[in-house]
Amino acid sequence: MTLTLRSSTSFINLKDTKSFKTADEVVGSICYAQIKPTFSLVAKSSVQASHVLEHHSLIKVGSLAEKWEKLHPLSGPHDGSNSSKVPVFVMLPLDTVTHGGNLNKPRAMNASLMALKSAGVEGVMVDAWWGLVEKDGPLRYNWEGYAELVQMVKHHGLKIQVVMSFHQCGGNVGDSCSIPLPPWVLEEISKNPDLVYTDRSGRRNPEYISLGCDSMAVLRGRTPIQVYTDFMRSFRNRFSDDLGEVIVEVQVGMGPCGELRYPAYPESNGTWRFPGIGEFQCYDKYMRASLKASAQEAGNQDWGQGGPHDSGQYNQFPDDTGFFRREGTWNTEYGRFFLEWYSSKLLQHGNSLLAAAEGIFKGTGAKLSGKVAGIHWHYKTRSHAAELTAGYYNTRHHDGYQPIAQMFSKHGVVFNFTCMEMRDGEQPENANCSPEGLVQQVKIATKAAGIELAGENALERYDAAAYRQVLATSTSASGSGTSASGSGLSAFTYLRLNKRLFEEENWRHMVEFVRNMSEGGKNRELAESDTQGSDLYIGFVNEKNIEKTKEILLV
């Protein structure tokens, strides 16, 4: 499959054969219509494609014919031309920077950025991995691969969102590579396994440092919060000239997958499977000590012996347990005490990290954001079991997202939320899912807190239905009070750049989506040709007029 972009400026100089990508630098493909090269173009790839595109109305290279159809760039949200515009960013591959600290496949990245720019995309998002940047030792940072990326993004007139990724890559949905925590941190964990989250059975999870030891100097004389703060300060110092101009957003990772949550549903080694309820992660010695102290303060020492004994196992359903069933322990005095303690620890962790980030990035012009997981399974039950084990105290009787939104508001942080592409009708009936209801609740919470709401898709989707759902979610209906639809989206980040995105139909859907988001969520299909001088369209070559197809693999 190929995509065809028609542009007044070719992405690739036809005289510069050095710009063509080698087989290991490529994943997708772009064709150029209405350009007839004066020589054969050969693309070396795994399939050794070597076709030449011909069309009945092709023109000679270098001439400017009236038949040349143009791809008009969209105006960015920073120009003030459309206040209802929702800018679209695209997540870059997880391995954008290599283990050696270099930019991975720079020529392919360069071509990908050109394609995204021509589609009207606002910018890209990249993970700045703690395990890569500070891997050589405490306070020894290597930002060079990211610096090269930032300059490339700047060169193409795009923007970038950078995630301070203090978690491990690997073991979760969509993780295509392995980037563990820094080696020197893993050494400390091997000496003291209680540094990481632990479940009731004693399973240790190396994805993220337990928030139970946030204020303890367990990482070679520094607390985890101090380590994260030093990392962010180093980033600010290295990229001070680009913050607010090219780097428009810094997302602060606050847990596994960069989300403010506990690792309650780890997929590694088959521990958890959708739609299991997950398990509480409060059994390392630091969390145990905190629970014990909280129980003593509440006047009931028995409550501090450990987490709920009747909360079940990772892959059970709510009704299989005493804690989460319809009239379960979750709604007793003890259950409310435990859930309040468990969720408040998560809020304290987020507050500490965001306060540090606010102090570091204030005045740089870059927005701060934090990510919250879209845990939509068992949402229709009274206990909302899967949300509770992840740390969101959200039940039939208690709103778990208002406290998070209020905490974000205190620090001026954008609330980034997932599962924006999902619809209730797509989910298995037995899972009691309601992604639409969950998103609606979050929209209302962020509106009440007076903060911006940004979105992501939770799973890789390329179909028009998923885009339509995001479009519907991106707008805010009129009204006031809790009955209103809540906040619209201030931005959307698409997951993720890969070869499938550049397949013909997938790319067409993406370009249509970007345009629709630029028009405030209006859902219109793009024209096949530019007869009205529109802002953006994409024209695919009619197959009956093509004798041979040339594939230049780019991504």
Side-chain angles (χ1 to χ4, degrees), residues 95-281:
D95 61 351
T96 292
V97 172
T98 68
H99 283 272
N102 302 312
L103 182 60
N104 198 8
K105 303 175 183 176
R107 288 186 177 181
M109 179 60 67
N110 187 61
S112 298
L113 295 178
M114 284 191 282
L116 293 175
K117 176 65 176 178
S118 292
V121 167
E122 179 74 7
V124 294
M125 172 182 276
V126 68
D127 289 277
W129 295 106
W130 183 26
L132 296 183
V133 175
E134 201 177 355
K135 73 182 182 66
D136 293 332
L139 300 171
R140 296 175 61 186
Y141 306 105
N142 178 8
W143 295 107
E144 296 317 301
Y146 293 99
E148 185 177 353
L149 175 65
V150 168
Q151 289 308 305
M152 189 179 290
V153 168
K154 181 179 181 179
H155 173 75
H156 290 294
L158 293 166
K159 307 299 181 184
I160 188 168
Q161 303 165 318
V162 182
V163 184
M164 303 287 100
S165 295
F166 299 118
H167 61 286
Q168 166 189 286
C169 177
N172 281 296
V173 176
D175 287 351
S176 56
C177 64
S178 176
I179 304 173
L181 302 185
W184 62 273
V185 175
L186 295 178
E187 286 181 20
E188 298 306 311
I189 294 173
S190 68
K191 298 174 189 175
N192 181 7
D194 284 291
L195 292 180
V196 297
Y197 288 117
T198 308
D199 65 18
R200 188 172 57 176
S201 301
R203 293 185 188 89
R204 308 287 189 179
N205 190 320
E207 288 184 69
Y208 190 79
I209 299 293
S210 169
L211 60 79
C213 58
D214 271 354
S215 59
M216 300 180 183
V218 293
L219 296 178
R220 300 194 182 181
R222 292 185 294 165
T223 69
I225 295 297
Q226 287 174 333
V227 171
Y228 304 146
T229 302
D230 290 338
F231 183 94
M232 291 188 289
R233 185 180 297 110
S234 172
F235 174 79
R236 180 202 64 190
N237 293 342
R238 179 64 179 81
F239 295 98
S240 58
D241 292 340
D242 299 304
L243 283 165
E245 297 294 330
V246 183
I247 303 172
V248 293
E249 179 178 319
V250 176
Q251 187 174 111
V252 183
M254 294 178 282
C257 295
E259 298 165 336
L260 179 64
R261 65 172 176 87
Y262 295 98
Y265 47 98
E267 284 201 306
S268 59
N269 302 318
T271 302
W272 171 87
R273 299 184 306 275
F274 176 85
I277 58 177
E279 289 191 22
F280 292 113
Q281 307 291 310

Side-chain angles (χ1 to χ4, degrees), residues 185-419:
V185 175
L186 295 178
E187 286 181 20
E188 298 306 311
I189 294 173
S190 68
K191 298 174 189 175
N192 181 7
D194 284 291
L195 292 180
V196 297
Y197 288 117
T198 308
D199 65 18
R200 188 172 57 176
S201 301
R203 293 185 188 89
R204 308 287 189 179
N205 190 320
E207 288 184 69
Y208 190 79
I209 299 293
S210 169
L211 60 79
C213 58
D214 271 354
S215 59
M216 300 180 183
V218 293
L219 296 178
R220 300 194 182 181
R222 292 185 294 165
T223 69
I225 295 297
Q226 287 174 333
V227 171
Y228 304 146
T229 302
D230 290 338
F231 183 94
M232 291 188 289
R233 185 180 297 110
S234 172
F235 174 79
R236 180 202 64 190
N237 293 342
R238 179 64 179 81
F239 295 98
S240 58
D241 292 340
D242 299 304
L243 283 165
E245 297 294 330
V246 183
I247 303 172
V248 293
E249 179 178 319
V250 176
Q251 187 174 111
V252 183
M254 294 178 282
C257 295
E259 298 165 336
L260 179 64
R261 65 172 176 87
Y262 295 98
Y265 47 98
E267 284 201 306
S268 59
N269 302 318
T271 302
W272 171 87
R273 299 184 306 275
F274 176 85
I277 58 177
E279 289 191 22
F280 292 113
Q281 307 291 310
C282 58
Y283 292 90
D284 64 78
K285 67 181 181 182
Y286 304 104
M287 292 292 282
R288 282 178 175 270
S290 173
L291 178 59
K292 183 177 181 180
S294 185
Q296 288 177 340
E297 186 177 346
N300 195 326
Q301 294 187 4
D302 292 342
W303 290 351
Q305 298 303 310
H309 69 279
D310 57 350
S311 57
Q313 299 176 350
Y314 286 104
N315 294 308
Q316 289 185 302
F317 277 54
D319 286 342
D320 298 332
T321 74
F323 192 86
F324 297 115
R325 66 189 180 191
R326 182 181 177 89
E327 300 296 340
T329 314
W330 63 273
N331 200 28
T332 64
E333 187 180 3
Y334 163 72
R336 289 188 289 270
F337 158 78
F338 175 80
L339 294 171
E340 186 64 40
W341 167 80
Y342 191 66
S343 62
S344 67
K345 291 290 291 183
L346 190 66
L347 286 170
Q348 290 167 18
H349 175 67
N351 185 65
S352 297
L353 257 174
L354 293 178
E358 183 184 17
I360 290 168
F361 294 106
K362 188 174 183 178
T364 63
K367 288 184 177 182
L368 282 179
S369 70
K371 187 175 176 182
V372 176
I375 303 175
H376 56 85
W377 53 105
H378 304 302
Y379 183 84
K380 292 181 179 179
T381 65
R382 291 193 171 196
S383 67
H384 293 235
E387 292 164 89
L388 297 186
T389 57
Y392 306 148
Y393 187 4
N394 193 53
T395 68
R396 178 71 60 88
H397 313 300
H398 191 277
D399 191 325
Y401 299 100
Q402 283 187 357
I404 299 174
Q406 290 164 0
M407 186 265 287
F408 279 22
S409 177
K410 185 167 79 170
H411 303 292
V413 173
V414 177
F415 193 117
N416 187 282
F417 198 64
T418 62
C419 78

